[in-house]
Protein backbone atom coordinates (compact mmCIF):
# COMPACT_ATOMS: atom_id res chain seq x y z
CA UNK A 1 0.00 0.00 0.00
CA UNK A 2 2.81 2.38 0.85
CA UNK A 3 4.51 2.00 -2.49
CA UNK A 4 1.33 2.09 -4.57
CA UNK A 5 0.38 5.39 -2.90
CA UNK A 6 3.67 7.02 -3.91
CA UNK A 7 3.58 10.10 -6.09
CA UNK A 8 6.67 11.34 -7.91
CA UNK A 9 7.58 14.62 -6.25
CA UNK A 10 10.98 16.02 -7.12
CA UNK A 11 12.86 17.25 -4.07
CA UNK A 12 16.04 18.15 -5.93
CA UNK A 13 14.79 21.07 -8.00
CA UNK A 14 16.66 24.27 -7.26
CA UNK A 15 19.15 22.59 -4.92
CA UNK A 16 22.93 22.53 -5.42
CA UNK A 17 24.09 19.35 -7.13
CA UNK A 18 25.70 18.08 -3.92
CA UNK A 19 22.42 18.48 -2.03
CA UNK A 20 20.21 16.77 -4.60
CA UNK A 21 18.75 13.40 -3.51
CA UNK A 22 19.84 10.07 -4.91
CA UNK A 23 17.63 8.78 -7.75
CA UNK A 24 16.31 6.07 -5.44
CA UNK A 25 14.97 8.77 -3.13
CA UNK A 26 13.45 11.06 -5.77
CA UNK A 27 9.93 10.21 -4.60
CA UNK A 28 8.23 11.39 -1.45
CA UNK A 29 5.71 9.02 0.07
CA UNK A 30 3.62 8.98 3.26
CA UNK A 31 6.03 8.04 6.02
CA UNK A 32 3.42 5.75 7.57
CA UNK A 33 1.24 3.32 5.57
CA UNK A 34 -2.44 4.34 5.77
CA UNK A 35 -3.93 0.85 5.60
CA UNK A 36 -6.23 -0.69 2.97
CA UNK A 37 -9.44 0.98 4.19
CA UNK A 38 -8.27 4.60 3.73
CA UNK A 39 -5.79 5.09 0.90
CA UNK A 40 -4.01 8.42 0.63
CA UNK A 41 -5.64 10.75 -1.87
CA UNK A 42 -2.80 12.82 -3.29
CA UNK A 43 -4.69 14.67 -6.00
CA UNK A 44 -7.91 16.62 -5.56
CA UNK A 45 -11.19 16.81 -7.48
CA UNK A 46 -10.99 20.50 -8.35
CA UNK A 47 -13.36 22.18 -10.77
CA UNK A 48 -11.07 23.80 -13.38
CA UNK A 49 -13.98 25.39 -15.23
CA UNK A 50 -16.79 27.47 -13.76
CA UNK A 51 -19.60 25.15 -12.64
CA UNK A 52 -23.19 25.24 -13.77
CA UNK A 53 -24.85 27.53 -11.24
CA UNK A 54 -28.31 26.81 -9.85
CA UNK A 55 -30.18 27.34 -6.59
CA UNK A 56 -29.96 24.24 -4.37
CA UNK A 57 -33.22 23.32 -2.69
CA UNK A 58 -33.65 23.56 1.07
CA UNK A 59 -33.80 19.77 1.22
CA UNK A 60 -30.47 19.47 -0.60
CA UNK A 61 -28.80 22.05 1.64
CA UNK A 62 -30.09 20.22 4.71
CA UNK A 63 -27.91 17.22 3.87
CA UNK A 64 -24.43 17.46 5.37
CA UNK A 65 -21.49 16.01 3.41
CA UNK A 66 -20.19 12.67 4.68
CA UNK A 67 -17.48 12.69 7.32
CA UNK A 68 -13.83 11.91 6.65
CA UNK A 69 -12.35 8.55 7.63
CA UNK A 70 -10.47 8.47 10.95
CA UNK A 71 -6.87 9.52 10.49
CA UNK A 72 -7.46 11.33 7.20
CA UNK A 73 -5.90 14.56 8.43
CA UNK A 74 -3.22 13.14 10.69
CA UNK A 75 0.13 14.90 10.52
CA UNK A 76 1.92 12.23 8.48
CA UNK A 77 5.07 13.61 6.90
CA UNK A 78 6.07 12.82 3.33
CA UNK A 79 9.59 11.39 3.31
CA UNK A 80 12.00 9.95 0.72
CA UNK A 81 11.03 6.52 -0.51
CA UNK A 82 14.35 5.04 0.67
CA UNK A 83 13.85 6.43 4.19
CA UNK A 84 10.33 5.00 4.37
CA UNK A 85 11.39 1.56 3.21
CA UNK A 86 14.42 1.42 5.53
CA UNK A 87 12.50 3.04 8.43
CA UNK A 88 15.44 5.28 9.24
CA UNK A 89 15.48 7.08 12.59
CA UNK A 90 17.24 10.22 11.35
CA UNK A 91 17.12 11.24 7.70
CA UNK A 92 20.29 12.36 5.96
CA UNK A 93 18.30 13.75 3.06
CA UNK A 94 17.78 17.41 2.25
CA UNK A 95 14.07 18.17 2.33
CA UNK A 96 12.14 20.40 -0.10
CA UNK A 97 11.58 22.92 2.73
CA UNK A 98 15.05 22.58 4.23
CA UNK A 99 16.11 26.22 4.27
CA UNK A 100 12.73 27.50 5.50
CA UNK A 101 12.64 24.94 8.31
CA UNK A 102 16.20 25.80 9.30
CA UNK A 103 15.30 29.48 9.49
CA UNK A 104 12.23 28.78 11.61
CA UNK A 105 14.30 26.71 14.05
CA UNK A 106 17.05 29.39 14.05
CA UNK A 107 19.59 26.95 12.65
CA UNK A 108 22.25 27.76 10.08
CA UNK A 109 20.11 28.26 6.98
CA UNK A 110 22.36 26.70 4.36
CA UNK A 111 19.69 24.49 2.79
CA UNK A 112 21.63 21.29 3.51
CA UNK A 113 20.73 18.58 5.97
CA UNK A 114 23.19 17.97 8.80
CA UNK A 115 23.15 15.79 11.90
CA UNK A 116 22.36 18.86 14.03
CA UNK A 117 19.54 19.85 11.66
CA UNK A 118 18.07 16.38 11.87
CA UNK A 119 18.10 16.38 15.68
CA UNK A 120 16.38 19.78 15.86
CA UNK A 121 13.77 18.90 13.23
CA UNK A 122 13.09 15.57 14.92
CA UNK A 123 12.50 17.32 18.25
CA UNK A 124 10.02 19.71 16.63
CA UNK A 125 8.21 16.88 14.88
CA UNK A 126 7.96 14.79 18.05
CA UNK A 127 6.70 17.78 20.00
CA UNK A 128 3.90 18.47 17.52
CA UNK A 129 2.78 14.93 16.74
CA UNK A 130 4.26 14.73 13.25
CA UNK A 131 5.02 11.16 12.21
CA UNK A 132 7.44 9.71 11.39
CA UNK A 133 9.70 12.02 13.39
CA UNK A 134 12.86 11.35 11.40
CA UNK A 135 14.05 14.93 10.90
CA UNK A 136 13.09 15.26 7.22
CA UNK A 137 12.08 18.83 6.25
CA UNK A 138 8.92 17.95 4.38
CA UNK A 139 5.62 19.73 3.65
CA UNK A 140 3.87 18.74 6.89
CA UNK A 141 6.68 20.07 9.07
CA UNK A 142 6.85 23.33 7.11
CA UNK A 143 3.06 23.83 7.14
CA UNK A 144 2.87 23.20 10.89
CA UNK A 145 5.49 25.89 11.46
CA UNK A 146 3.58 28.38 9.31
CA UNK A 147 0.38 27.75 11.25
CA UNK A 148 2.05 28.10 14.63
CA UNK A 149 3.70 31.36 13.59
CA UNK A 150 0.41 32.83 12.35
CA UNK A 151 -1.97 31.90 15.16
CA UNK A 152 -1.51 35.05 17.23
CA UNK A 153 -1.92 37.49 14.33
CA UNK A 154 -2.04 36.05 10.80
CA UNK A 155 -2.12 39.53 9.27
CA UNK A 156 0.84 40.93 11.19
CA UNK A 157 2.57 41.81 7.93
CA UNK A 158 -0.52 43.64 6.67
CA UNK A 159 -0.70 41.71 3.40
CA UNK A 160 -4.48 41.21 3.55
CA UNK A 161 -6.42 44.48 3.12
CA UNK A 162 -8.38 45.59 6.19
CA UNK A 163 -11.97 46.52 5.36
CA UNK A 164 -15.16 47.14 7.34
CA UNK A 165 -16.69 44.04 5.72
CA UNK A 166 -15.59 40.40 5.77
CA UNK A 167 -12.55 39.52 3.71
CA UNK A 168 -11.42 35.92 3.18
CA UNK A 169 -7.62 36.14 3.13
CA UNK A 170 -5.68 33.55 1.08
CA UNK A 171 -1.93 33.68 1.74
CA UNK A 172 -0.19 31.59 -0.90
CA UNK A 173 3.25 32.27 0.59
CA UNK A 174 2.41 30.47 3.83
CA UNK A 175 -0.47 28.31 2.52
CA UNK A 176 -2.85 29.73 5.13
CA UNK A 177 -6.35 31.17 4.98
CA UNK A 178 -8.44 33.16 7.43
CA UNK A 179 -11.36 35.59 7.47
CA UNK A 180 -11.16 39.04 8.98
CA UNK A 181 -13.67 41.85 9.49
CA UNK A 182 -11.80 45.04 10.11
CA UNK A 183 -8.79 43.98 12.15
CA UNK A 184 -10.67 41.18 13.91
CA UNK A 185 -10.00 37.62 12.76
CA UNK A 186 -13.35 35.81 12.73
CA UNK A 187 -12.11 32.50 11.29
CA UNK A 188 -8.76 30.73 11.25
CA UNK A 189 -6.02 30.84 10.36
CA UNK A 190 -6.14 27.29 8.98
CA UNK A 191 -3.79 25.40 6.65
CA UNK A 192 -4.77 25.02 3.02
CA UNK A 193 -3.47 23.76 -0.29
CA UNK A 194 -3.49 26.09 -3.30
CA UNK A 195 -2.82 25.65 -7.01
CA UNK A 196 0.21 23.90 -8.44
CA UNK A 197 2.54 25.24 -11.15
CA UNK A 198 0.50 25.86 -14.28
CA UNK A 199 -2.74 26.02 -12.29
CA UNK A 200 -1.96 28.61 -9.65
CA UNK A 201 -4.78 30.05 -7.58
CA UNK A 202 -5.38 33.45 -9.16
CA UNK A 203 -4.22 36.43 -7.12
CA UNK A 204 -6.19 39.62 -6.48
CA UNK A 205 -9.72 40.49 -5.42
CA UNK A 206 -12.56 38.02 -5.96
CA UNK A 207 -16.16 37.58 -4.81
CA UNK A 208 -18.00 34.52 -3.51
CA UNK A 209 -20.52 34.10 -6.32
CA UNK A 210 -21.93 30.61 -5.69
CA UNK A 211 -22.02 28.21 -2.75
CA UNK A 212 -22.89 24.53 -3.01
CA UNK A 213 -22.63 22.43 0.14
CA UNK A 214 -22.72 19.07 -1.64
CA UNK A 215 -21.00 20.03 -4.88
CA UNK A 216 -19.86 17.22 -7.17
CA UNK A 217 -17.15 17.94 -9.73
CA UNK A 218 -18.50 17.49 -13.23
CA UNK A 219 -14.94 17.20 -14.53
CA UNK A 220 -13.59 14.58 -12.14
CA UNK A 221 -16.79 12.91 -10.92
CA UNK A 222 -15.67 13.47 -7.35
CA UNK A 223 -17.00 15.34 -4.30
CA UNK A 224 -16.12 18.94 -3.44
CA UNK A 225 -17.83 19.38 -0.04
CA UNK A 226 -18.73 22.88 1.18
CA UNK A 227 -17.69 24.45 -2.12
CA UNK A 228 -17.65 28.25 -2.19
CA UNK A 229 -16.72 29.49 -5.67
CA UNK A 230 -14.97 32.85 -5.94
CA UNK A 231 -13.35 32.97 -9.41
CA UNK A 232 -14.49 30.82 -12.31
CA UNK A 233 -13.82 27.23 -11.27
CA UNK A 234 -11.75 28.16 -8.22
CA UNK A 235 -13.37 27.58 -4.86
CA UNK A 236 -12.79 26.92 -1.20
CA UNK A 237 -13.71 23.29 -0.60
CA UNK A 238 -12.88 20.28 1.53
CA UNK A 239 -10.97 17.24 0.31
CA UNK A 240 -11.13 13.70 1.65
CA UNK A 241 -7.36 13.37 1.80
CA UNK A 242 -4.24 15.09 3.02
CA UNK A 243 -3.63 18.73 2.05
CA UNK A 244 0.04 18.55 3.07
CA UNK A 245 1.82 17.65 -0.15
CA UNK A 246 4.50 19.32 -2.25
CA UNK A 247 2.14 19.17 -5.24
CA UNK A 248 -0.63 21.79 -5.21
CA UNK A 249 -4.26 21.61 -6.27
CA UNK A 250 -5.68 22.36 -9.70
CA UNK A 251 -6.38 25.94 -8.57
CA UNK A 252 -8.87 25.56 -5.76
CA UNK A 253 -8.18 26.27 -2.10
CA UNK A 254 -8.28 22.82 -0.49
CA UNK A 255 -9.24 22.55 3.18
CA UNK A 256 -9.72 19.87 5.79
CA UNK A 257 -13.38 18.93 6.17
CA UNK A 258 -13.86 20.51 9.61
CA UNK A 259 -12.26 23.77 8.48
CA UNK A 260 -14.37 23.90 5.31
CA UNK A 261 -17.52 23.30 7.37
CA UNK A 262 -16.69 26.19 9.71
CA UNK A 263 -15.81 28.47 6.80
CA UNK A 264 -19.18 27.64 5.24
CA UNK A 265 -20.92 29.10 8.30
CA UNK A 266 -18.77 32.27 8.22
CA UNK A 267 -18.86 33.33 4.56
CA UNK A 268 -21.90 34.31 2.53
CA UNK A 269 -22.59 34.93 -1.15
CA UNK A 270 -21.13 38.31 -2.09
CA UNK A 271 -18.29 38.22 0.45
CA UNK A 272 -14.90 39.29 -0.81
CA UNK A 273 -11.80 37.12 -1.19
CA UNK A 274 -8.26 38.45 -1.47
CA UNK A 275 -5.45 36.20 -2.75
CA UNK A 276 -1.75 37.11 -2.79
CA UNK A 277 1.71 35.58 -2.88
CA UNK A 278 3.03 32.44 -4.50
CA UNK A 279 2.84 28.85 -3.34
CA UNK A 280 6.36 27.56 -2.53
CA UNK A 281 7.57 25.46 -5.44
CA UNK A 282 4.68 26.44 -7.73
Amino acid sequence: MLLTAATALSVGAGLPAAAAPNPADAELVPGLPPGPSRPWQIDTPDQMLAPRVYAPSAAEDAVEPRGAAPGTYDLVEYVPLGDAVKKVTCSKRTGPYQRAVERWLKLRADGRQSAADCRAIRAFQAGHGIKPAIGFAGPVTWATMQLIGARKNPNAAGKCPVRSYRVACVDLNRELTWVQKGKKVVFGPVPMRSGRAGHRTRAGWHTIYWRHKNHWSTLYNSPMPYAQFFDGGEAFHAVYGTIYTTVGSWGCVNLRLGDARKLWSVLKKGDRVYVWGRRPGA
Side-chain angles (χ1 to χ4, degrees), residues 48 195-200 250 282:
M48 294 173 61
R196 67 186 70 187
H199 299 278
R200 297 189 184 97
W250 289 101

Side-chain angles (χ1 to χ4, degrees), residues 229-247:
F229 288 87
F230 56 81
D231 184 21
E234 295 185 353
F236 296 106
H237 72 86
V239 292
Y240 290 108
T242 182
I243 61 173
Y244 301 112
T245 66
T246 57
V247 176

Side-chain angles (χ1 to χ4, degrees), residues 1 11 68 85 106-107 109-110 116 154 165 175 198 201 242-243 257 274:
M1 188 66 191
V11 298
V85 172
K106 295 180 171 57
L107 302 169
D110 59 3
Y165 47 82
E175 290 295 277
T201 305
T242 182
I243 61 173
L257 188 69
Y274 185 73

Side-chain angles (χ1 to χ4, degrees), residues 80-101:
L81 179 59
D83 286 357
V85 172
K86 296 176 183 176
K87 297 183 179 180
V88 303
T89 57
C90 198
S91 178
K92 297 180 180 179
R93 303 298 178 186
T94 294
Y97 298 90
Q98 189 74 34
R99 198 181 301 273
V101 167

Side-chain angles (χ1 to χ4, degrees), residues 43-85:
D43 229 325
T44 59
D46 294 350
Q47 188 91 27
M48 294 173 61
L49 302 175
R52 175 177 156 273
V53 176
Y54 70 96
S57 67
E60 181 182 349
D61 272 348
V63 177
E64 291 296 323
R66 65 177 173 86
T72 296
Y73 307 114
D74 286 355
L75 297 178
V76 176
E77 185 58 277
Y78 282 73
V79 303
L81 179 59
D83 286 357
V85 172

Side-chain angles (χ1 to χ4, degrees), residues 158-221:
K159 297 291 186 179
C160 192
V162 174
R163 298 290 187 268
S164 60
Y165 47 82
R166 284 187 300 270
V167 177
C169 306
V170 180
D171 184 348
L172 304 182
N173 296 319
R174 296 181 293 173
E175 290 295 277
L176 296 173
T177 192
W178 66 91
V179 179
Q180 60 190 35
K181 186 175 183 181
K183 294 183 178 180
K184 183 179 180 181
V185 176
V186 297
F187 168 82
V190 297
M192 67 177 200
R193 189 172 75 151
S194 65
R196 67 186 70 187
H199 299 278
R200 297 189 184 97
T201 305
R202 290 182 284 274
W205 281 103
H206 310 287
T207 301
I208 300 289
Y209 72 87
W210 189 54
R211 296 173 4 116
H212 194 191
K213 183 184 291 184
N214 289 284
H215 188 64
W216 196 271
S217 172
T218 56
L219 292 178
Y220 298 98
N221 194 30

